[in-house]
Amino acid sequence: MNPADGALPVRDDVQDDRAQAIRDALHNAIVERRLSPGAKLVETEVGELFDVSRTVVRASLQMLAFEGLVKIERNRGAFVAHPTPDEARQIFESRRVIEPEIAERAAERMTEADIRLFQAHLKDEERLLAERGPNARRAAIKASGDYHLMLASVAANQILERFMRELIARSSLVIALYGQSGASSCARSEHADILDALVARDGKKAAEVIRHHIDHIEEDLDYKLAGNAPLRQALRL
C-alpha cells in the first residue's frame, strides 16, 4: 500500500495496537492502585516486559501523560503522576461540578435494564467489601469507580463520559496517595442512596446525594503516602 493513498502501513497499525495494550495495562495498574503515585516507569523495563521497542513504550506513556496519569520529565523519565494537595482539591472540585449534572441526566434516561445492572453492581460491591486481602480491596476500589462511570454512560453524553473517565482515574491516584481507609472510600450505602433517587426519577435528589458523596470521599484524605509494588508484580506479568 502506498502511503500516499492515505492508508497507514500495517506495521504502524500493529505498533499502535501494542502501544494501546500497554497503555491499558498501565492504566489499570494505576487505577487499581497496584502502581502508586511517583512510581518510575522505566522504558526499557516496560519494553522487556511486553517485548516491544522503546518507541512503542514511549507512545503508550504519552497517552497516559495526556490523560494526566503519567508525568514525563526531561532527562529523568516517566513517573506515575503524583498529585499535590492543591491538584487533589481541583480534581474533587471538578467532580462536584460535573457529577451532579450527570446524575440529573441519568435520572431522566434510566431504564429498567439500567436499574437491574446497577442493582447487580451494588451486590458485587457489597461482596467485595466483605472480602479481605489486597486483591479484594483493589477490586472494591475499581468497582466503586466503575459505578460512577456507569452513571456517566447512562447520562448519554460522550464528552462528559470522557471527562469522567479521566477524573475517576485521577481520583484513584489521589486516594492511593492520601486516602486514610484501607478499603474503598465510596461507601456502598451512598451508592445505594444515589440509585434510590435515580429509580424515583428524582434528579435533584440524585445530584444532592452524589455531591455529599464526593464530599465524603474527599474527607477521607490525609496526605499519607502509599508504597510501590515492583513493576512486574503491579502489571501481573
Side-chain angles (χ1 to χ4, degrees):
M1 181 71 69
N2 187 341
D5 295 335
L8 292 173
V10 173
R11 190 171 70 175
D12 286 350
D13 289 341
V14 172
Q15 288 186 338
D16 288 346
D17 289 344
R18 293 296 289 152
Q20 183 66 46
I22 295 169
R23 174 267 172 204
D24 292 346
L26 290 170
H27 176 279
N28 291 340
I30 293 169
V31 170
E32 295 172 21
R33 307 207 299 182
R34 289 180 274 120
L35 279 173
S36 297
K40 187 166 186 178
L41 302 172
V42 181
E43 289 181 4
T44 53
E45 183 181 6
V46 176
E48 289 172 0
L49 291 173
F50 288 93
D51 192 25
V52 297
S53 69
R54 292 180 64 181
T55 299
V56 175
V57 173
R58 198 169 294 121
S60 66
L61 295 175
Q62 289 287 353
M63 294 180 197
L64 292 165
F66 180 77
E67 298 168 27
L69 295 182
V70 164
K71 184 176 182 180
I72 300 175
E73 299 183 9
R74 186 178 180 85
N75 298 325
R76 293 194 67 228
F79 300 82
V80 175
H82 191 295
T84 66
D86 186 54
E87 288 170 334
R89 284 189 289 270
Q90 291 181 35
I91 289 167
F92 284 98
E93 181 181 355
S94 298
R95 289 185 62 175
R96 272 187 285 268
V97 170
I98 292 174
E99 289 198 66
E101 177 66 22
I102 285 174
E104 290 199 40
R105 288 173 176 266
E108 297 172 358
R109 294 166 172 78
M110 204 80 164
T111 66
E112 291 301 319
D114 292 327
I115 292 170
R116 289 193 293 271
L117 287 174
F118 273 87
Q119 290 171 336
H121 189 85
L122 288 179
K123 289 182 180 179
D124 285 339
E125 283 192 53
E126 187 173 20
R127 173 181 57 80
L128 290 168
L129 288 171
E131 294 180 3
R132 295 184 179 182
N135 290 336
R137 184 165 62 248
R138 290 177 185 127
I141 292 165
K142 183 179 185 301
S144 292
D146 287 346
Y147 180 94
H148 293 263
L149 295 178
M150 288 169 66
L151 280 174
S153 178
V154 172
N157 183 306
Q158 293 184 353
I159 303 301
L160 285 176
E161 186 174 357
R162 188 181 70 187
F163 286 161
M164 277 305 302
R165 289 191 181 279
E166 178 178 337
L167 286 172
I168 292 299
R170 297 181 73 172
S171 294
S172 296
L173 279 175
V174 171
I175 292 168
L177 186 57
Y178 301 123
Q180 294 184 72
S181 66
S184 168
S185 297
C186 290
R188 189 261 180 196
S189 61
E190 293 179 346
H191 283 178
D193 292 341
I194 294 167
L195 181 58
D196 287 343
L198 295 173
V199 171
R201 313 295 180 189
D202 190 341
K204 297 296 184 185
K205 180 65 174 179
E208 178 186 351
V209 175
I210 206 165
R211 194 177 291 109
H212 287 306
H213 178 50
I214 295 167
D215 288 341
H216 293 161
I217 298 172
E218 192 170 15
E219 287 170 2
D220 189 51
L221 307 181
D222 73 347
Y223 308 109
K224 291 181 180 177
L225 293 172
N228 279 317
L231 184 59
R232 177 181 290 276
Q233 178 182 336
L235 293 173
R236 295 175 178 165
L237 297 176

